[in-house]
Amino acid sequence: GGAGFEMRQALRPAAQTARPVAQTARPLALRRRLSTLHGGADALRKPYPPSHVLTLGEINPNVLSAQYAVRGELVQRAAAIKEEMAAGSANVPFKKVLECNIGNPQAVGQSPIGFNRQVLSLMVCPALLDQPGVDALFAPDAIARAKEYLAAIPSGVGAYSDSQGFRIVREQVADFISSRDGLPASPEDIFLTDGASKGVGFLLSLILRGGGSDGLLVPIPQYPLYSATLALQETHMLGYELDEAAGWSLPISLLEAELEDAQAKGVATRALVVINPGNPTGNSLPYDNMVECIDFCAKHGLVLMADEVYQENIWDGGRPFHSFKKVLMEMSPRPNLQLVSFHSTSKGFLGECGLRGGYFEIVGFDPEVKAQLLKLISIGLCSNTLGQIATGLMVQPPRPGDASYEIYSGERDAILASMKRRATMLVDGLNALEGVTCNQPQGAMYAFPSITLPPKAIAAAKDAGKVPDTFYALALLEATGIVVVPGSGFGQKEGTWHFRTTFLPPESEMTDVVDRMTAFHADFMGKYA
C-alpha cells in the first residue's frame, strides 16, 4: 500500500533516491566551480592523512604518577586468570579466585538487605504500587516508605535532584546524626554524594589550591584514594606513620614533626585526614586520641577530614565508635574547628557498593566557602538518585514495631556476627604463620599482617623487578587464587612488608582461605629459606 511504499522510500539508501530538485538544478558552471574548489573527483579518492594518536608522553603526567593499588597489578592478573578459567585454558591448582582485595561484600556472596531492596524496587518502578497483589509482594512499611519518598520527590528517581541532594534524605541524615551523637544536625550542612570517595574528591578540590605548594597529612598506611587524588592534584602527601606496635595508634608527636618538616620545605599544610575505624589497619581510635587530633587541627588552622565509613563495623567492645563531631562538641572549651565527616552505603553491614550512596557533613565552615562548595558540586549536577535513596534507607532503617523490623534486624545482626567470627578466624590463622604478626582488628573489614620475608625472597623479588610484598602477593595468587593487596600500595614503615586482606568471603569458605594461605606460606618460606 501507500504507507508501505513511503516507508521503503524512507529506508532506501541515499544513493538510490532521487536528488533534490535544488541540487540537480544547479547551473553547470557552479557545479564545476565547486568541484574545482574541492579538488575534483581525484581529491575525494585520496586517503586521509594518518590521524594523530595520543601517546603516554602527551597525556597528563599526573595520571601516570597516580597509583591505586586496590585495583592494581594483582587484580589485573586475577582478572586474566578468571578469563582463562572461563575459557578452559587456565593451568592453575585451584577452582576459584577468591577476591580478598577490596571491601566489596556482595561480590563475595553477601545478600542485600531485603527491606532496602524492596523500597528501591518500588522507587525504580512506581507503577508496581498500583498493581493488584502488591501487598503480597512487598512489606507494608516498604510500601509506605516508597510512597513517602515519591510524595517528596514527585519527579521520581529518573530526574536530576538538587545538587546537594534530595531534601527528604538530607533531613533523614540529619536525624540520624542527631540520634547517634545526641547533638543537633542540619540538612543544610549535609551533601549527598556518589559514595564517600566522591565527597573526599570535592573537599580536596575545594581546599587544595594547586601549584604544588599545598600538602595534606595522611596516615601511613592509608587508603590509596588519598595518595592517588593528591598525585592528580600535584599536592604533597605528608604521611604520618601509625604505630603498629601500639595497635596502630596515632601519635600526635609525629603529626607535629611532619607539619614542622613541611613548613621548613615551604609546603602549606591544609588538612589532616583521619580514617576511623582504620583502613587498611582495622584500628579504632580511643576517645582521648581523637581529642588530641582536634586540638592539633584547631591549633594549626587545619581542616579535619574524618573518614568514618566503617562506623558500623566495630569488633572490639572496649573501643566503641565515637564520631569526631561528637567528640568536638563535648570538648570544653570547644575549639574552633573546620570538620568534614564522611559516610557511605558501601560498608557497614549493607555492602551496597555499586549503588554509590554516601554523604558528608560540614561543621564550622564559612558560609561563603560553603556556597563555593555547592557551586563545585553543581558542576556535576547531582549524585545518582538511587544512591541517595539508599543513603536514606541506611540512616533510617525499620524501627521496633515496624513490619520489617524483625527481619531487618535479624539480617543485620547475622551479617555483623559472621564478620566478627571471620575476622577472628582469619587473624588467628595469620598469626600462626612463620614470620607473620597481625593485630586483631578493632573495626572495619580488613586485616593488615606484617610479613618478615627471607633475604632470598627479597633478592628474588628484586631480580623480578617487583617490590617484595608484591612478589609475595603475586605468588600467593598464582598458587591459591587468593587476591590480596600488597602493603606497599598503602604505604608502610620503611623496611617492613605487609598485605591487606578482607575477611569478607563467606564463612563457609574462610577455613579454606586460611588453609590455602597456610600451605602456600609454608612452601614459600621453605623455598626461600
Side-chain angles (χ1 to χ4, degrees), residues 153-177:
I153 312 165
S155 54
V157 294
Y160 293 130
S161 73
D162 294 339
S163 293
Q164 202 167 336
F166 292 131
R167 174 82 187 190
I168 184 174
V169 175
R170 289 189 287 118
E171 290 173 346
Q172 291 173 340
V173 172
D175 290 343
F176 162 77
I177 294 171

Side-chain angles (χ1 to χ4, degrees), residues 322-495:
H322 300 287
S323 74
F324 267 98
K325 181 183 178 182
K326 177 180 174 64
V327 175
L328 169 65
M329 296 302 177
E330 290 179 347
M331 293 174 66
S332 181
R334 184 186 304 165
N336 292 320
L337 179 73
Q338 297 172 100
L339 169 67
V340 192
S341 303
F342 303 91
H343 198 8
S344 169
T345 65
S346 300
K347 310 306 176 187
F349 57 90
L350 297 182
E352 294 284 17
C353 303
L355 291 179
R356 309 308 299 135
Y359 72 83
F360 65 83
E361 180 191 24
I362 60 174
V363 175
F365 275 64
D366 183 287
E368 292 183 348
V369 172
K370 179 179 171 182
Q372 293 302 309
L373 174 60
L374 181 57
K375 180 184 74 175
L376 174 64
I377 293 171
S378 299
I379 295 172
L381 297 175
C382 68
S383 61
N384 85 87
T385 55
L386 285 180
Q388 293 186 44
I389 298 299
T391 301
L393 295 168
M394 173 181 72
V395 298
Q396 193 177 98
R399 296 184 173 96
D402 290 348
S404 297
Y405 176 74
E406 294 298 330
I407 294 175
Y408 181 95
S409 59
E411 291 172 330
R412 175 198 63 206
D413 295 347
I415 290 169
L416 291 174
S418 176
M419 277 191 191
K420 185 173 182 178
R421 290 192 298 270
R422 284 175 276 169
T424 300
M425 189 186 309
L426 177 62
V427 173
D428 287 349
L430 290 169
N431 280 323
L433 303 181
E434 177 189 354
V436 176
T437 58
C438 186
N439 288 316
Q440 284 287 348
Q442 298 162 339
M445 45 183 68
Y446 312 102
F448 197 65
S450 173
I451 327 166
T452 302
L453 295 174
K456 287 184 179 179
I458 294 174
K462 183 178 180 180
D463 291 342
K466 303 292 183 186
V467 178
D469 52 13
T470 300
F471 181 77
Y472 177 92
L474 281 168
L476 174 67
L477 170 61
E478 298 290 349
T480 67
I482 298 172
V483 191
V484 298
V485 187
S488 50
F490 299 91
Q492 55 197 343
K493 187 175 182 179
E494 187 174 354

